Each structure stands twice: as C-alpha cells, then as structure tokens.
Amino acid sequence: MDQVGYIILAISIVVILLAVFVISFVLYMRTPAPKGCEKLGIGPKNCEDCNVEGCMIYKQRHKKEE
Amino acid sequence: MEMIISYILAIVSYMLIDNVVLSRFYGICSFIGVGNKVKSAFSMGLAVTFVIMMATLVCYPLYFFVLVPAGIPFLDTLVYILVIASLVQIVGLFIKKNSPTLYKTLGIYLPLITTNCAVLGVVQTNSDASLDFLTSLANGLGTSIGFLVVIVLFACMRERMNGYNIPKAMKGVPIALITAALMALAFMGFGGMVG
C-alpha cells in the first residue's frame, strides 16, 4: 500500500470510531433516565462525597453545616 | 499448570507490586475525588474494573489485527481514547436502560471513567510491551482489582479520619495526599514478593 492508501485508511478508522462515539453518545442522551434518577447531576445531595473546596456547592454545604 | 501459575502471579504482581495508583500514579484524580466514602469508592472501583476489562478485550485485537498490519500503529492513543469513550457511553446506555439501581449508584461516576487515565494506561501498556492476549487480560484484571482495593482502603481510612482532630491547614486534600503517600510506602513492602 502506498502512502496515500495509509493516510486514507488511518482517516477512515478514526472517522468510523468517531461515528461510533457520536452514535453512542446520542443514544445515551436520548434514553430516558429511570424513575427517581432524573436529576443525578450536580447538586448538594449528589456532591456529598466531593472535596473540591473552590466549588460553590461545597461552600454552600459547609456554610449550612457551620 | 505452570501457565496458570504464571498468570496468577502476573495478576498479583499488577495488583499489589506494580499498583496502578500507588506505583504507576494513574487514576489519581478519581482516587482523591471519589475515595472519600466507602460506598462510592466501591462503586467507582467496580465501574473502572468493568471498563478496563472491556477496553482490554476491544483494544487488543484492534491494535494487533488492524493497526499493526495496516502500518498505522502510531494512531494507537487516539484509537484507544475513542474506544474507551464509546465503551463508557455504551455501558452507560445499557445500565440506564436495564438497571435503575446500578444507574443510581454509578450515574454520576460514569463520565469520570472516560477521563480515568488508568484505563488508557492499561491498554497502552499492553500494546507498548507487546503482551500476548492472556497476559493483557491478566494485566487488565490485576490493575483493575488493584485500583478497587486501593480506592476502598483509602476511603476506609478517610472515613475514620473524619473523627480525628486534624489541624485546619491539613484538612481535606493535604491529609489525603499524606495518607496516599503512606499507603504507597506500605505497598512498597510487597516489592520482591513475585520473582
């Protein structure tokens, strides 16, 4: 295989993998969350384990505790 | 029989002696960030174990049967990142669809696994050292169990430390880093166990 062939093969492998990632990402986002798990994002309840002191949620949580 | 023993020794070696966090310094971010409570540390450890094993299973044939014969092994890191990111999405998709309990436990940790360099480190080591398929699996299994053991032990210690009177300047990350350093020293004691 010549140089152009290698480049085309390399680009096609990367494009295929990117397509797989995009499709899986879109499917993941479109799949509805199970009942009771709709809001699993950032929030005082979900961030209890976190220790990042610069975060606003951490500061709010510790102000309340104090 | 000798083969089985050598694979078991490889697993023990990757788990304790050449530990992914304490010896190779991969996955420190999730180790410090999530290793705060035993329950979440165990969930994170299990999720990482699953993704490492899946990534090893997928990346090994991709590297040795596609990238190397095609003469493009330099694309390995890029391919691994895309494979790991896709795997995490697919695993997340199945969990979201089929297991609400597991989704509730792992939900917020799933995106963290994509950025966990321990996963990339394992598959990269497999291809760089040209390990055979079974040794690659042993590397994946040993590394992931090592990660699970260390993060759970670390979380146990941090939970116990919550009750201690620690100076204000040392609270949080500083004392966590000192604990991790002492754990690394303790794990050095395993050196030489497997010849």
Side-chain angles (χ1 to χ4, degrees):
Chain A
M1 203 189 291
D2 62 344
Q3 190 122 26
V4 179
Y6 284 130
I7 293 168
I8 291 170
L9 186 69
I11 291 171
S12 54
I13 287 173
V14 173
V15 168
I16 290 166
L17 286 170
L18 263 175
V20 170
F21 171 70
V22 170
I23 291 167
S24 57
F25 180 74
V26 170
L27 284 174
Y28 180 79
M29 295 308 282
R30 281 189 176 184
T31 308
K35 279 185 180 176
C37 306
E38 289 87 356
K39 289 177 183 175
L40 280 185
I42 301 163
K45 276 188 180 177
N46 297 326
C47 298
E48 283 176 359
D49 297 344
C50 184
N51 261 341
V52 180
E53 292 176 10
C55 175
M56 284 304 290
I57 294 166
Y58 181 91
K59 284 175 186 170
Q60 283 171 2
R61 188 155 50 87
H62 283 261
K63 265 185 188 174
K64 282 177 189 172
E65 281 173 13
E66 281 169 11
Chain B
M1 190 64 188
E2 270 184 30
M3 286 277 281
I4 296 169
I5 292 170
S6 71
Y7 288 126
I8 292 170
L9 286 178
I11 292 170
V12 173
S13 168
Y14 286 121
M15 189 171 87
L16 297 175
I17 300 159
D18 201 14
N19 188 277
V20 65
V21 180
L22 301 175
S23 176
R24 285 186 271 172
F25 308 116
Y26 293 150
I28 299 282
C29 46
S30 51
F31 177 69
I32 300 288
V34 185
N36 210 8
K37 284 192 174 174
V38 178
K39 195 185 165 192
S40 45
F42 187 70
S43 304
M44 181 69 182
L46 279 184
V48 169
T49 302
F50 186 71
V51 173
I52 285 180
M53 291 312 289
M54 290 292 290
T56 308
L57 280 171
V58 174
C59 290
Y60 183 88
L62 207 59
Y63 181 79
F64 286 102
F65 301 122
V66 178
L67 296 183
V68 172
I72 44 172
F74 53 86
L75 274 181
D76 57 352
T77 310
L78 185 62
V79 166
Y80 295 157
I81 290 169
L82 286 170
V83 166
I84 292 163
S86 308
L87 265 176
V88 171
Q89 295 296 334
I90 293 165
V91 170
L93 182 70
F94 275 96
I95 292 174
K96 206 174 183 182
K97 190 86 180 162
N98 299 319
S99 176
T101 323
L102 197 60
Y103 180 74
K104 205 168 187 175
T105 319
L106 294 181
I108 50 171
Y109 303 118
L110 276 172
L112 275 179
I113 303 166
T114 314
T115 55
N116 192 334
C117 52
V119 186
L120 185 63
V122 170
V123 285
Q124 193 77 59
T125 309
N126 291 341
S127 55
D128 287 351
S130 295
L131 300 177
D132 62 87
F133 184 63
L134 287 176
T135 315
S136 297
L137 282 180
N139 179 17
L141 188 64
T143 303
S144 48
I145 295 174
F147 182 81
L148 178 71
V149 167
V150 161
I151 198 170
V152 169
L153 286 174
F154 186 61
C156 290
M157 282 191 254
R158 287 181 80 181
E159 273 196 1
R160 283 195 70 178
M161 276 192 301
N162 285 339
Y164 297 153
N165 190 16
I166 300 165
K168 199 181 175 186
M170 295 297 287
K171 271 185 182 171
V173 177
I175 195 72
L177 288 172
I178 289 171
T179 313
L182 291 172
M183 273 182 84
L185 280 174
F187 268 69
M188 277 174 72
F190 290 116
M193 194 173 80
V194 180

